[in-house]
Amino acid sequence: MALFLAVTPFVVGAALGNAWLRVLDFALLYIMLALGLNIVVGFAGLLDLGYIAFYAVGAYTYALLASPHFGLHWPAWAILPIGALVAGIFGVLLGAPTLRLRGDYLAIVTLGFGEIIRIFMNNLNAPINITNGPKGIARIDPISIGGHSLSKSIDVFGITVPGLTLYYYLFLVLTVLIVIVGIRLQNSRIGRAWVAIREDEVAAKACGIDTRNVKLLAFAMGASFGGVAGGLFAGFQEFVSPESFGLMESIMVLCMVVLGGMGHIPGVILGGLLLAVLPEAFRHGAVPMQNWAFGKVLIDPENLRMLLFGLALILVMLYKPAGLWPEKQHRLEMRK
Amino acid sequence: MSLLEAKNIGKRFGGVQALKDVSLSINSGEIYGLIGPNGAGKTTFFNVLTGLYPRDDGEVIFDGKPLELGSPHKVTQAGIARTFQNIRLFAHMTARENVMVGRHARTKVGVVGAVFRSRAQREEEAAIERRALELLHYVGIADRASGLAKNLSYGDQRRLEIARALATEPKLLALDEPAAGMNATETAGLRTLIEGLRRDGLTVLLIEHDVKLVMGLCDRVAVLDYGEKIAEDVPDAVRNNPKVIEAYLGTSTS
């Protein structure tokens, strides 16, 4: 498994080119996001439609602390934990007023929260220019480790390792860390309390669970994962702007969680991988496929992509309502 | 010695006075029955007592200290555990996990311990699981430990709920109609279980419709009617109390 993950970027890079290496890097970022959202939606059962806001908070934290915008150039290892912390605080800020809400009501409020964050990013360029508005923040420092910037390739024993591959390894390490944290939380007193709240909040209270604190904890943990992913995104892209953090992105991450299997970490990873990679495959494959089949391009690949994506969602929800790879117990009872 | 003393409890829902001046005291080690016709306010009293509803009047002294009502988890931590009239289990968790959740109030390892798998965390987890299995054994459903709560039989679900409540180490166990919907065999089994609880030193507050069960099991019984306590005595005296008979059967009109 480890070997497979280690050689993947070389195989992908050699066979499909750098564009696909990029897709792979993004897939890892999305998996981190999906794992974070899984804590809130999958474990604690709190439907969050504004999750991308925490990704934005993490990304802007990185952008502001490591770019010419404020003339700050802090190192990544210092910024990423700060990004996680700031996002976690925003998580509590979202959680605190919504504690009494559940289901669709909560979804609406979180949706609004996500939009508010995006609009702030868009408009905080006046009177004091903090976020540089819709133009975004450019020339962000790439992440560097041991003095070597990951945006440049490196020669190891005569083999040239491109920057995209270096980022892949960094993202992979952090994804594995997030998976470990997620699994350990799930199999703990806190994880059980989250699931208990999802299953029956009144009974959870009667079991002595302080549902207020435990829910806030879920929001904070989920948000901090998103904050880390956001910081990595900013360093990787070297540019952030509000349009990367729209509602569609929140929905995409939610789809990854639901499609993969809510509350089941391997399922969520699968969901993240599929939804990050398949649309790209459609995009790249649509034009040659149509040329081959019809001799010309009938449907714009971008439209086709969304069409197939929608179709796939409907089919999965019809035939595998618990997700593609749900928890074993869940699967057993769905069959009944 | 009284373990719980409720003084002048009042609760209104809009214009409806659901509870009015209800005072009762439960002695340590007894089984105390709370009965009354439908809509008399039994479950409301339960919900006020366990903090689910904020109360409008009165106070509760539990174990010598005033009970902070209005926050259920604090009531549980103070030592009152309850079951629900319409069973409320964590349906998609196993029986064992349900009871493990019940240990929440008496354990303390948080996020940091869980993430780093500290020694304290591992020991606590092992202890939680051990205790959960003991309790499942105690209520007689140890063989269903790995089954999902929702797939247990009705009687076993009731037992699981009691096991989960016991996991919080209560001094007072409040059972809201535990025999509702049970057949005669299951009721007899439940009775044995509750008698065992008393033998093991637990105080039990029992709301029940099954009059035979209440009269056979309880040391003392209180009767609620229209939100007011109309009687409180040993079962035999309550059975012959004219006010109680009137509440259940009505007065003769001829």
Side-chain angles (χ1 to χ4, degrees):
Chain A
M1 181 72 177
L3 187 73
F4 171 75
L5 288 172
V7 298
T8 302
F10 292 99
V11 177
V12 169
L16 300 160
N18 275 346
W20 278 95
L21 261 181
R22 237 185 135 66
V23 170
L24 209 56
D25 288 349
F26 266 106
L28 285 170
L29 286 177
Y30 275 117
I31 288 171
M32 288 183 225
L33 283 176
L35 287 168
L37 184 61
N38 182 49
I39 289 185
V40 183
V41 179
F43 294 164
L46 304 161
L47 186 51
D48 184 348
L49 287 183
Y51 184 70
I52 211 71
F54 306 121
Y55 189 53
V57 168
Y60 269 89
T61 304
Y62 189 99
L64 296 177
L65 293 177
S67 74
H69 185 62
F70 284 148
L72 294 172
H73 296 281
W74 293 19
W77 59 263
I79 304 175
L80 289 176
I82 295 175
L85 187 71
V86 174
I89 292 170
F90 271 85
V92 173
L93 281 181
L94 167 66
T98 57
L99 283 169
R100 287 164 185 279
L101 304 179
R102 282 192 76 81
D104 26 13
Y105 301 100
L106 179 63
I108 296 290
V109 176
T110 54
L111 186 114
F113 176 82
E115 284 302 286
I116 288 171
I117 295 289
R118 191 179 60 83
I119 290 166
F120 262 105
M121 305 290 175
N122 228 336
N123 294 296
L124 272 184
N125 53 348
I128 310 160
N129 187 358
I130 298 174
T131 64
N132 209 25
K135 286 201 292 284
I137 297 172
R139 290 190 291 138
I140 298 170
D141 303 346
I143 298 171
S144 61
I145 292 172
H148 178 82
S149 159
L150 295 190
S151 62
K152 298 191 188 76
S153 59
I154 188 172
D155 287 319
V156 185
F157 307 121
I159 307 165
T160 307
V161 183
L164 287 170
T165 304
L166 296 176
Y167 271 116
Y168 169 86
Y169 287 127
L170 174 68
F171 292 178
L172 188 64
V173 167
L174 283 162
T175 306
V176 169
L177 274 179
I178 285 179
V179 168
I180 291 172
V181 170
I183 290 174
R184 289 187 165 186
L185 283 176
Q186 186 177 18
N187 298 318
S188 76
R189 171 174 173 267
I190 301 295
R192 279 193 301 274
W194 283 335
V195 177
I197 289 175
R198 181 188 75 197
E199 293 288 309
D200 189 325
E201 196 168 341
V202 171
K205 283 181 184 167
C207 284
I209 295 170
D210 184 345
T211 52
R212 186 180 62 109
N213 288 354
V214 171
K215 274 185 183 180
L216 286 180
L217 198 59
F219 274 116
M221 289 304 299
S224 62
F225 286 12
V228 171
L232 295 172
F233 168 75
F236 176 60
Q237 286 284 70
E238 300 171 32
F239 171 73
V240 295
S241 78
E243 63 183 288
S244 306
F245 310 108
L247 176 61
M248 228 8 240
E249 292 292 310
S250 280
I251 290 178
M252 200 66 176
V253 179
L254 185 65
C255 285
M256 291 170 178
V257 176
V258 175
L259 198 79
M262 266 201 276
H264 188 227
I265 289 175
V268 170
I269 295 173
L270 176 71
L273 189 66
L274 283 182
L275 286 194
V277 172
L278 281 186
E280 292 301 319
F282 285 143
R283 199 208 315 257
H284 288 270
V287 172
M289 281 286 283
Q290 289 188 51
N291 274 329
W292 175 77
F294 312 113
K296 59 181 177 196
V297 179
L298 291 174
I299 311 170
D300 173 48
E302 198 61 24
N303 292 342
L304 185 67
R305 189 166 76 109
M306 288 321 284
L307 198 72
L308 289 175
F309 175 59
L311 189 69
L313 274 187
I314 292 169
L315 288 179
V316 170
M317 286 300 105
L318 274 180
Y319 294 104
K320 302 214 81 173
L324 290 172
W325 191 359
E327 237 171 324
K328 210 158 113 218
Q329 294 160 0
H330 227 88
R331 201 159 53 215
L332 285 176
E333 113 221 355
M334 280 290 176
R335 213 174 278 155
K336 274 180 189 155
Chain B
M1 192 203 96
S2 75
L3 174 67
L4 178 132
E5 197 150 353
K7 292 177 186 162
N8 312 102
I9 301 293
K11 174 73 195 167
R12 282 177 298 275
F13 294 110
V16 180
Q17 184 86 33
L19 290 174
K20 193 179 168 198
D21 252 354
V22 177
S23 299
L24 48 85
S25 78
I26 301 174
N27 295 328
S28 213
E30 75 177 344
I31 298 182
Y32 189 98
L34 187 61
I35 63 171
N38 283 329
K42 304 182 295 288
T43 296
T44 304
F45 179 77
F46 244 51
N47 287 341
V48 168
L49 180 69
T50 53
L52 224 48
Y53 296 160
R55 70 193 184 294
D56 296 319
D57 304 300
E59 63 169 340
V60 177
I61 309 287
F62 180 72
D63 207 14
K65 289 185 280 281
L67 197 61
E68 190 188 327
L69 297 175
S71 44
H73 68 275
K74 285 192 180 148
V75 172
T76 307
Q77 276 159 8
I80 300 179
R82 69 169 293 176
T83 64
F84 294 87
Q85 187 176 348
N86 34 4
I87 304 173
R88 300 189 86 132
L89 288 168
F90 308 123
H92 299 100
M93 293 173 107
T94 63
R96 186 180 56 235
E97 285 168 335
N98 266 272
V99 184
M100 286 170 82
V101 172
R103 294 297 299 155
H104 190 92
R106 303 291 172 219
T107 46
K108 56 179 189 299
V109 170
V111 169
V112 178
V115 170
F116 292 102
R117 281 271 150 90
S118 64
R119 193 194 167 90
Q121 195 264 352
R122 279 175 287 138
E123 282 169 5
E124 193 182 89
E125 272 299 290
I128 290 171
E129 183 151 9
R130 210 163 44 235
R131 183 72 186 132
L133 289 173
E134 277 170 23
L135 285 166
L136 286 173
H137 190 77
Y138 183 85
V139 299
I141 52 170
D143 54 325
R144 307 304 312 273
S146 310
L148 285 190
K150 59 174 285 188
N151 295 338
L152 296 184
S153 73
Y154 185 79
D156 286 352
Q157 290 192 357
R158 287 274 181 212
R159 284 169 182 271
L160 177 56
E161 224 191 359
I162 293 174
R164 188 180 67 188
L166 289 174
T168 67
E169 291 173 25
K171 296 191 181 89
L172 173 70
L173 178 64
L175 303 172
D176 195 350
E177 296 204 22
M182 279 188 171
N183 61 34
T185 328
E186 286 170 330
T187 307
L190 179 76
R191 183 172 170 165
T192 316
L193 178 63
I194 297 175
E195 277 168 347
L197 292 172
R198 168 163 55 184
R199 220 170 19 251
D200 293 337
L202 208 66
T203 311
V204 178
L205 168 60
L206 179 70
I207 290 187
E208 191 47 71
H209 261 307
D210 188 328
V211 175
K212 225 171 82 190
L213 181 70
V214 172
M215 294 302 175
L217 203 51
C218 294
D219 299 302
R220 286 192 305 145
V221 177
V223 186
L224 285 184
D225 189 28
Y226 291 111
E228 288 184 76
K229 188 175 87 176
I230 56 171
E232 179 185 34
D233 215 325
V234 294
D236 274 333
V238 164
R239 205 199 310 260
N240 297 321
N241 185 319
K243 271 168 118 177
V244 176
I245 296 168
E246 190 190 312
Y248 270 93
L249 300 176
T251 42
S252 73
T253 48
S254 59

